[in-house]
Amino acid sequence: MIIDLHKFISEERESWERLEAILDELEKNPARRLVMQEIKEFHYLYERVSADLVKLTSTVAERDLRAYLESLVARAYGEIHETREQAHRLRPLEWFLVVFPNTFRKYVRYFYLSLAVTIAGCVFGGGAIALDPQSKQVLMPFEHLLGSPKERVDKEETVGFDHLRGQKVQGAAWYMTHNTKVSILTMAMGVTWGIGTIILLLTNGIMLGAVCADYILSGQSVFLLGWLLPHGSVEIPAILLAGQAGLIIAGAVIGWGNRVSLKLRLRAVTVDLVTLITGVALMLIWAGIIEAFLSQYHKPVFPYELKIAFGCIQLIVLTVYLSRSGRSQSKHDAGDAGPAKADEDGAEI
Amino acid sequence: MKNARKILTIRTPEGIVFPMTIAGPIARFVALVIDQVVIGLLSMFVNAVVKTLSSISFDLAMAGYTITAFLMSLGYPIVFEWYWRGQTVGKKVMHLQVIDEQGLRLRFSQVVIRNLLRLVDMLPALYLLGGAACFASAHGQRLGDLAANTIVVYHPSLSEPDLDQVMSGKYNSFRDQSYLAARLRQRSLPTEADIALRAIMRRDQMDDVSRLVLFEHIRKHFERLAEFPVEITEGISDEQYVRNVVDILFR
């Protein structure tokens, strides 16, 4: 095709600039919704610019112009052919009360698997300590746990009123960031077909089981509960949820019984993974505060009964929240339940 | 020479095709190093603030530093890639951009997942796992990219060629033949036009014999595409012929 470039540019420039203006506006404000008239105009401009690009493709001249039109069409293509649900404006309360617990329940079988792996680790760790107390050196990598539980309890119960004064806030910050990193790694390891996630959950379980067995066998069960329950009742479920997220990735990577492609399987779970890991991070922020400000203080500063009761109540509230919250909304949106399946064009069906 | 770059071709239902050049692991690594330098500089700034605040409360200042350092290392790529549409400082410098694998709009969840999975890509050290995945993947994707369905593409800077040196204000007799000039534009492939342009741009780097041979070959090629009248081509050198052709094709 032979085209008069100067005439072509002067005639078409208005359409290009109008399309660019609409795209700029949409990109600046993702929540903006076009009305029907605007949609018609947008679609018309997209097709017109696409046609201009085809005309230019047949000539070698104006490489920069072609690159400009290509970028316009590429941007418009992304807007027009995007079939996934638009990101909603952030509604924290709705997210907390409905979206997060519903997402947890949607993939609850992965949570049970995560729990089962951790329990298996606990049984192994506890059994190892019961059968061979010397294995403590190997199973517990933390120096402060290697001594005798009785001696530790005696020491903790005789320290002053506020022995962590001036260290609590940084302690809380360390717990939050360290545990969040571990949780993200637990989730991310799902990409190794879940092997990495399972290893991390198992390791956590082994350490937890070993510590518990060590304290129970030394007759320090009450101290153990008072020490672990206040923060552990949130921290351990958070790690289990991170494991759940990791196993969701593993499920998408492996794709048993799912005939859609790997890309679409992964695409279908991406938003849910972000929801779960955000929830995990929030849980760990809370657990970090409790661990620094409550868990590390023992009798006589805080009676064990009070700490145990606090931990139990927290665990009950968390269980009720994750199992019940947003259920009515979930029934209302019954069509969304279950892992999304996607057709080859990326549209959720 | 074989082009080692990986290309992703996106074809729209309207029949438009976009060739996207996949970024290589080396360019991505350099971008990463630049980003680490930026994070390091930000950390130095935070450290200075913490030192000032520690006179008020050491505990609070240290907590602030721990949390800020954590958020910077994790949040820096997420925030920049989201607000800069797939680019961080390092990626901007290296002309790289993260895009959706299907050319669709990059979503926040994709940005988050690809960056959280960095923790696996970094294993066992120096992004060895991610680098290996990059080499093995058809689209140069690390594990985070695979999980988030994203790719990193390279946008070469399209600088306007200095066409003034092609003609240096000289009169181009080929322009009078508007029909033949249009035919030349129509029949020339972009790669052929590029070869002619580059030959002129690099003429001073060639020795005399190579230059003469090269321009002779290029002239013969373009003569087959559009045959200009003998009266205007007779007496002009091969190099001048190619200059006239480039002037027609690029102006």
Side-chain angles (χ1 to χ4, degrees):
Chain A
M1 182 189 290
I2 299 169
I3 54 173
D4 181 336
L5 271 177
H6 292 289
K7 192 173 168 214
F8 175 69
I9 292 169
S10 60
E11 279 178 359
E12 298 300 313
R13 175 168 276 164
E14 200 182 328
S15 305
W16 306 338
E17 286 174 352
R18 178 68 190 131
L19 181 63
E20 190 174 12
I22 296 175
L23 286 168
D24 286 344
E25 199 183 329
L26 286 173
E27 286 166 7
K28 242 183 257 171
N29 182 9
R32 166 106 156 77
R33 296 284 177 272
L34 300 177
V35 296
M36 185 51 77
Q37 192 58 36
E38 289 174 318
I39 292 171
K40 280 181 182 169
E41 185 195 10
F42 183 46
H43 188 249
Y44 165 75
L45 289 169
Y46 167 66
E47 294 204 320
R48 182 161 183 160
V49 178
S50 297
D52 290 344
L53 181 58
V54 172
K55 280 179 201 162
L56 266 192
T57 309
S58 60
T59 172
V60 297
E62 297 291 341
R63 282 192 311 169
D64 287 353
L65 178 61
R66 201 168 64 229
Y68 167 67
L69 292 187
E70 271 180 357
S71 80
L72 272 187
V73 175
R75 286 165 67 195
Y77 167 77
E79 297 289 342
I80 283 179
H81 292 276
E82 178 60 87
T83 54
R84 295 170 293 180
E85 196 183 348
Q86 292 286 318
H88 297 297
R89 195 179 286 277
L90 193 63
R91 294 192 191 95
L93 196 64
E94 186 191 331
W95 181 91
F96 180 74
L97 292 175
V98 180
V99 179
F100 175 50
N102 273 337
T103 307
F104 164 76
R105 288 194 296 269
K106 187 168 153 182
Y107 300 98
V108 76
R109 66 175 196 268
Y110 292 105
F111 176 80
Y112 292 142
L113 183 55
S114 174
L115 180 66
V117 172
T118 305
I119 289 173
C122 283
V123 170
F124 178 84
I129 289 290
L131 297 172
D132 176 19
Q134 299 304 316
S135 61
K136 198 169 159 179
Q137 306 285 335
V138 182
L139 298 178
M140 294 187 206
F142 304 111
E143 204 179 324
H144 67 282
L145 295 174
L146 292 178
S148 152
K150 174 91 176 60
E151 282 172 17
R152 185 193 166 196
V153 173
D154 291 343
K155 193 179 158 195
E156 297 273 4
E157 289 181 350
T158 53
V159 291
F161 176 73
D162 193 1
H163 66 289
L164 293 173
R165 189 181 179 145
Q167 298 171 41
K168 288 196 290 285
V169 185
Q170 52 183 311
W174 188 85
Y175 292 130
M176 288 172 200
T177 53
H178 174 264
N179 290 336
T180 305
K181 253 185 231 168
V182 171
S183 298
I184 292 170
L185 186 64
T186 306
M187 180 194 77
M189 279 293 191
V191 85
T192 59
W193 293 275
I195 296 167
T197 300
I198 287 175
I199 289 172
L200 284 173
L201 288 171
L202 209 57
T203 313
N204 260 335
I206 289 171
M207 282 191 284
L208 183 65
V211 171
C212 290
D214 193 28
Y215 278 71
I216 291 167
L217 293 173
S218 300
Q220 304 300 331
S221 307
V222 177
F223 174 87
L224 177 76
L225 289 172
W227 167 43
L228 287 186
L229 263 181
H231 69 276
S233 56
V234 175
E235 186 185 292
I236 295 167
I239 303 286
L240 292 175
L241 258 77
Q244 177 189 21
L247 294 172
I248 292 170
I249 296 181
V253 170
I254 297 165
W256 278 315
N258 200 336
R259 293 174 67 187
V260 299
S261 69
L262 170 67
K263 284 174 192 172
L264 293 175
R265 292 198 302 267
L266 286 167
R267 197 179 277 272
V269 298
T270 312
V271 176
D272 293 333
L273 291 173
V274 174
T275 301
L276 281 178
I277 204 67
T278 308
V280 167
L282 292 176
M283 288 166 75
L284 290 173
I285 289 172
W286 174 251
I289 294 168
I290 298 300
E291 187 165 5
F293 285 85
L294 179 61
S295 294
Q296 304 301 336
Y297 289 91
H298 309 284
K299 209 170 76 173
V301 182
F302 283 117
Y304 292 131
E305 295 76 16
L306 186 71
K307 292 175 74 181
I308 293 169
F310 177 83
C312 288
I313 291 168
Q314 205 172 224
L315 188 59
I316 291 167
V317 170
L318 182 67
T319 308
V320 171
Y321 162 68
L322 287 174
S323 59
R324 312 296 304 175
S325 185
R327 256 187 191 277
S328 55
Q329 187 72 26
S330 175
K331 279 176 191 163
H332 182 70
D333 301 332
D336 297 336
K341 287 191 169 23
D343 66 14
E344 284 298 323
D345 292 319
E348 288 192 3
I349 54 172
Chain B
M1 191 179 76
K2 194 187 170 193
N3 190 352
R5 283 193 182 279
K6 291 175 179 175
I7 302 286
L8 171 76
T9 305
I10 294 172
R11 184 182 293 274
T12 75
E14 292 80 9
I16 311 296
V17 177
F18 309 104
M20 299 269 199
T21 308
I22 306 287
I26 305 297
R28 290 178 69 172
F29 189 74
V30 175
L32 182 75
V33 170
I34 295 169
D35 287 331
Q36 291 305 314
V37 171
V38 173
I39 292 174
L41 291 172
L42 289 172
S43 298
M44 281 166 66
F45 172 74
V46 172
N47 209 7
V49 174
V50 165
K51 271 186 184 163
T52 315
L53 288 178
S54 60
S55 57
I56 303 164
S57 167
F58 182 76
D59 194 20
L60 270 177
M62 286 310 294
Y65 180 75
T66 306
I67 290 172
T68 313
F70 174 72
L71 289 178
M72 272 195 310
S73 65
L74 201 71
Y76 164 86
I78 294 176
V79 171
F80 272 91
E81 283 180 12
W82 178 238
Y83 283 102
W84 279 5
R85 300 198 152 256
Q87 290 192 302
T88 58
V89 175
K91 288 191 177 75
K92 242 185 205 313
V93 172
M94 298 302 294
H95 302 286
L96 308 181
Q97 187 186 17
V98 183
I99 62 164
D100 179 273
E101 203 176 14
Q102 293 181 342
L104 300 173
R105 214 171 38 232
L106 195 61
R107 294 170 76 89
F108 183 68
S109 55
Q110 290 178 291
V111 173
V112 173
I113 291 298
R114 79 178 295 279
N115 282 300
L116 293 187
L117 263 69
R118 255 177 216 289
L119 291 182
V120 181
D121 283 307
M122 287 159 74
L123 296 174
L126 293 169
Y127 278 86
L128 276 178
L129 196 54
C134 247
F135 278 110
S137 153
H139 292 153
Q141 291 164 296
R142 61 176 175 82
L143 296 175
D145 286 318
L146 284 168
N149 275 305
T150 54
I151 53 167
V152 182
V153 294
Y154 170 65
H155 293 300
S157 53
L158 290 171
S159 58
E160 192 75 43
D162 182 12
L163 293 176
D164 287 342
Q165 77 172 64
V166 176
M167 290 304 289
S168 312
K170 285 181 184 168
Y171 168 69
N172 182 359
S173 56
F174 287 16
R175 283 203 169 273
D176 296 339
Q177 312 292 321
S178 56
Y179 174 73
L180 288 170
R183 177 180 287 179
L184 183 67
R185 281 202 196 98
Q186 183 204 19
R187 291 182 176 177
S188 301
L189 295 172
T191 47
E192 296 166 341
D194 269 348
I195 288 169
L197 179 66
R198 283 173 197 212
I200 289 170
M201 297 293 181
R202 296 178 185 177
R203 70 173 301 281
D204 294 334
Q205 298 166 21
M206 297 177 237
D207 62 65
D208 292 344
V209 178
S210 306
R211 189 166 63 229
L212 287 171
V213 172
L214 178 66
F215 281 113
E216 186 189 352
H217 278 301
I218 297 174
R219 174 182 180 154
K220 280 181 182 164
H221 178 79
F222 281 105
E223 276 178 343
R224 284 197 292 273
L225 300 182
E227 200 175 333
F228 285 89
V230 182
E231 48 273 27
I232 63 166
T233 57
E234 203 174 45
I236 63 170
S237 66
D238 294 337
E239 185 176 337
Q240 187 56 48
Y241 187 100
V242 176
R243 280 177 190 277
N244 288 358
V245 167
V246 169
D247 182 54
I248 295 280
L249 294 179
F250 284 94
R251 279 183 197 266

